[in-house]
Amino acid sequence: MEPLVQLTEGAVPPALFRRLMRRLGRVGRERLRDTYQTTFWYDFGPPANVVEEIITTLRPGIAGRRRVAGVEWWLSRMYTTDVRVDFHQDRDEKLARRTGELVHPRIGSVLFLNRVRGGALVVTRELPEEGNPSLAPSRMDTADVVAPRPNRLVVFDGALTHGVLDAENRIPDGKLPGRSRLRRTLVMNWWAHRPTDVPAWAQTRHYRALAG
């Protein structure tokens, strides 16, 4: 069966990756509770921060000749003992809430930033299932599962279902005892058009430590 994901190890040049990690250290826990609601749009203009530099570097390998208008990106940070994201398909969130229309990015991608206990990414063609913990699809045997490793890039079709396993690499079903390291990733969705009301990073006051 053909893989659902494309993996690249050492995806970002080492010096650029180290600079990203230093900048993220300065970001600290800023907006940690709102990490999934803090998204930004980058239209491939002059990079304003280290993330946009990375997107520019990765663009030829990810988008190739496919027509994309830009990238919606965010910092995903979670404890694998307390996974708070269900299985889902990425979409234009505000458009879906306003009209019910489902529009997906052309390409989804995740750059893993560190190694943690558990926290594997699951990508599948199956749809989320309302009655299951974390909305996990009922069938998981056809999914691709990718462990977090520093500077490992995962690329997949933007309409596919995906989710995160807990510290035991099981489907999350409540908080686990103890704590784990923060699982940190840079998520980049590559769109044919700009999703509704997503601001450019330069238009906000968030994550200013990423500049320079």
Side-chain angles (χ1 to χ4, degrees):
M1 185 177 296
E2 185 176 350
L4 300 178
V5 303
Q6 172 189 328
L7 284 181
T8 304
E9 307 291 352
V12 176
L16 185 56
F17 187 79
R18 288 194 297 269
R19 184 150 61 89
L20 171 65
M21 297 306 291
R22 288 196 301 269
R23 295 291 176 180
L24 284 178
R26 297 176 186 176
V27 168
R29 298 174 62 85
E30 180 185 344
R31 297 188 67 80
L32 184 60
R33 292 186 178 181
D34 300 310
T35 188
Y36 295 106
Q37 291 75 46
T38 308
T39 74
F40 309 96
W41 176 251
Y42 176 51
D43 63 1
F44 305 128
N49 60 56
V50 65
V51 169
E52 293 178 358
E53 288 185 48
I54 286 173
I55 292 170
T56 300
T57 299
L58 294 176
R59 181 183 180 185
I62 295 179
R65 295 184 177 180
R66 285 178 283 188
R67 184 174 295 177
V68 291
V71 173
E72 180 189 15
W73 64 269
W74 64 95
L75 305 177
S76 169
R77 297 166 292 166
M78 71 176 77
Y79 294 105
T80 56
T81 51
D82 189 18
V83 175
R84 297 188 179 187
V85 59
D86 290 330
F87 280 77
H88 64 283
Q89 297 168 303
D90 289 336
R91 61 186 186 177
D92 184 326
E93 287 290 343
K94 292 185 178 178
L95 179 68
R97 291 172 188 168
R98 292 174 185 172
T99 69
E101 183 179 359
L102 293 180
V103 179
H104 305 291
R106 295 199 68 178
I107 307 165
S109 62
V110 177
L111 178 67
F112 292 108
L113 304 181
N114 65 333
R115 185 189 298 258
V116 295
R117 181 164 62 95
L121 174 71
V122 178
V123 180
T124 176
R125 290 191 177 91
E126 305 297 323
L127 295 177
E129 185 62 51
E130 285 286 344
N132 290 339
S134 297
L135 304 183
S138 294
R139 182 176 180 181
M140 297 289 284
D141 60 319
T142 58
D144 282 0
V145 181
V146 184
R149 297 291 183 269
N151 208 6
R152 170 180 281 177
L153 177 70
V154 185
V155 179
F156 50 92
D157 186 295
L160 290 176
T161 300
H162 51 285
V164 177
L165 301 182
D166 67 17
E168 306 299 332
N169 271 335
R170 298 174 180 171
I171 294 169
D173 189 15
K175 189 174 181 179
L176 298 177
R179 283 183 62 165
S180 62
R181 297 175 64 198
L182 269 180
R183 176 189 185 272
R184 299 191 291 176
T185 69
L186 169 61
V187 184
M188 299 162 283
N189 281 340
W190 304 70
W191 288 87
H193 69 277
R194 185 173 185 166
T196 306
D197 296 337
V198 176
W201 174 84
Q203 296 172 321
T204 75
R205 297 178 178 271
H206 304 319
Y207 304 153
R208 304 322 291 173
L210 295 176

